[in-house]
Amino acid sequence: MKARFASSILVAALIAVGASGCAFITPQATTTIKEAADGVEGNVSPDIAMRNTTLISDDGKAASLIVTLVNVGESGNQVNIQYVNAAGTQVTENAFVNAHSTLTLGGLTDKKITFTGLDTKAGALFPVFFQYGTQTGTKLLVPVLTSDWPQFAGLAPKVTSGK
């Protein structure tokens, strides 16, 4: 009788382990976070975040900055966006982000920021520095992509004659 009871317990335990064994061995996909975007992300603490930051360039000389700036702070902030051109000159562009809001730059109907005087190519990572107020800034290595991708069609700066 004891053997029969023990074997019933053993069978029940084996069924329970077998039915739930996958969860013990296989890592859950929800524990791995992946960016579902073409660009990179960063933060300038405590209030400003940059999301899906990308440069679009068809000629490597000029590039459109595509970025969503997120301000979680209680006041609006002027964000300084800096890069160094091919001549070694530091160039600063600005964008104002209202409190508790987002600002998208570079889309078809959005404000445009164009980096000029560059010497880069598609596939490169281009350093861009973001800063506001007295906060320490953040450098992002931003991917340079072309407008050949359907989602970026029409977003590259217009190539002028006499490249």
Side-chain angles (χ1 to χ4, degrees), residues 89-163:
T89 304
Q90 180 176 302
V91 180
T92 302
E93 301 286 347
N94 300 301
F96 188 83
V97 188
N98 292 319
H100 299 290
S101 67
T102 62
L103 174 66
T104 302
L105 301 172
L108 291 173
T109 60
D110 302 318
K111 175 183 175 182
K112 307 277 191 254
I113 292 183
T114 303
F115 291 6
T116 58
L118 305 180
D119 184 17
T120 190
K121 59 184 176 183
L125 295 176
F126 191 83
V128 181
F129 187 77
F130 294 84
Q131 188 272 334
Y132 74 95
T134 59
Q135 300 300 319
T136 302
T138 300
K139 179 174 79 169
L140 296 180
L141 294 176
V142 179
V144 179
L145 305 173
T146 67
S147 65
D148 292 339
W149 295 83
Q151 66 267 33
F152 301 128
L155 298 180
K158 303 295 180 229
V159 177
T160 57
S161 60
K163 295 188 215 178

Side-chain angles (χ1 to χ4, degrees), residues 30-103:
T30 56
T31 61
T32 305
I33 298 172
K34 295 184 180 180
E35 290 182 35
D38 298 307
V40 294
E41 299 184 354
N43 297 300
V44 180
S45 295
D47 295 339
I48 300 294
M50 296 77 65
R51 300 292 179 248
N52 200 19
T53 311
T54 311
L55 287 170
I56 308 300
S57 178
D58 288 337
D59 66 357
K61 308 277 184 230
S64 294
L65 176 67
I66 312 293
V67 63
T68 299
L69 299 172
V70 180
N71 184 352
V72 297
E74 297 296 324
S75 62
N77 288 298
Q78 175 107 354
V79 178
N80 300 315
I81 303 164
Q82 300 172 333
Y83 67 97
V84 176
N85 65 20
T89 304
Q90 180 176 302
V91 180
T92 302
E93 301 286 347
N94 300 301
F96 188 83
V97 188
N98 292 319
H100 299 290
S101 67
T102 62
L103 174 66

